[in-house]
Amino acid sequence: SVPFGPLGMIVLKRMLAKGARAGMACGAGMAAGDTLFASVAIFGVASVHGWLLQYQDKIEIIGGALITCIGLWSYYRHKQAD
């Protein structure tokens, strides 16, 4: 099945304009490109995994403080508007 995103629409358009063979070739190219992008994403996450585990506590504290600041900012901004 072809996903109906932007690339899926390109494959469908190519198939309707130039035939099933061209559509299949375009679909195979789309699948190869998606595989390449997924591989890059997986290896990118694997390369920083150790660093994330090493600094996990600090990242959690900074993330929690950031979310708290955003919440307080939003609360006081809407309170002043009323």
Side-chain angles (χ1 to χ4, degrees):
S1 76
V2 177
F4 286 103
L7 293 177
M9 296 308 292
I10 290 171
V11 170
L12 183 62
K13 182 179 175 183
R14 177 82 34 100
M15 185 181 73
L16 292 173
K18 298 189 179 200
R21 188 176 218 173
M24 293 295 278
C26 189
M30 181 182 78
D34 284 346
T35 302
L36 177 68
F37 288 139
S39 299
V40 168
I42 289 169
F43 290 123
V45 169
S47 67
V48 298
H49 183 260
W51 181 84
L52 288 173
L53 288 177
Q54 182 180 359
Y55 294 104
Q56 180 177 359
D57 295 337
K58 292 177 179 116
I59 292 170
E60 288 175 354
I61 290 170
I62 292 169
L66 182 63
I67 290 173
T68 301
C69 288
I70 291 171
L72 289 171
W73 174 75
S74 177
Y75 174 76
Y76 286 116
R77 188 180 84 164
H78 289 302
K79 191 174 181 179
Q80 291 174 354
D82 292 337

